Amino acid sequence: MRRAGGQALLETAIVVPVMVVLMLGFLAILIRIEAQVELETATSLAAAAAVSAPANSQQSAVNAEDTWRGTLHQYVYLRPGMLSQSCGAYQPGQTVVCTGTATLDYGQTPMGLIVPGPPIQLSSTATARGSPYRST
C-alpha cells in the first residue's frame, strides 16, 4: 500500500508540470489568434468606413483611420501600426484596398513570462467596393 501512494505522488509530480506547460502554450496560441482576428476585423471595418464617405472625399481616409484605430484600442497588447495610404479617397465603383499592421506584445500580458522574445508583427488586408452610383 505504501509503495502505491509514492508512485501516485511521483506520477502527479511528472504530469502536472507538463499539463501546465501545455495549457499555457494553448493560451499563448489563442492570444495570437485573437490578435490576428482583431486586426483583420479592424482592417475590414476601415475599408467599409472608407467607402461610406462620398467619393473623391478626404473624409473617407479620415473615416477609415478613425475606425481602424478605434477598433484596435481595446487591447493593450496589440499596438496599431500603419494603415495603408490607399485606404482613402476612391472613385465611384472603385475597390478600396486597406492594409493594416499591428504589433503583438506578449510582454503586456501575463503570458510575457512564458513567451519570451521580441513583439510579433501582424498584417492584414481587406477590400471594399464603393457603389458605382454613389454621389461625389
Side-chain angles (χ1 to χ4, degrees):
M1 282 293 188
R2 187 171 175 93
R3 184 172 179 189
Q7 178 184 357
L9 182 63
L10 179 63
E11 289 173 356
T12 303
I14 293 172
V15 170
V16 168
V18 171
M19 294 301 288
V20 168
V21 168
L22 284 173
M23 182 184 70
L24 292 175
F26 287 135
L27 287 175
I29 291 169
L30 288 175
I31 288 173
R32 167 66 169 84
I33 291 170
E34 180 183 31
Q36 184 67 41
V37 167
E38 185 67 22
L39 178 61
E40 289 176 4
T41 300
T43 307
S44 295
L45 290 173
V51 297
S52 68
N56 301 320
S57 168
Q58 289 301 330
Q59 188 62 38
S60 65
V62 171
N63 288 356
E65 184 73 25
D66 289 348
T67 300
W68 188 72
R69 291 208 181 273
T71 304
L72 289 179
H73 88 282
Q74 298 175 26
Y75 297 98
V76 295
Y77 56 84
L78 189 61
R79 291 189 308 256
M82 299 294 296
L83 185 63
S84 63
Q85 295 296 323
S86 64
C87 191
Y90 67 96
Q91 301 296 322
Q94 177 186 4
T95 299
V96 173
V97 178
C98 295
T99 300
T101 61
T103 304
L104 170 61
D105 187 5
Y106 278 110
Q108 298 295 320
T109 69
M111 298 304 299
L113 299 172
I114 307 302
V115 181
I120 300 169
Q121 297 295 320
L122 304 175
S123 179
S124 176
T125 300
T127 60
R129 179 175 295 276
S131 170
Y133 307 107
R134 185 124 177 119
S135 63
T136 57

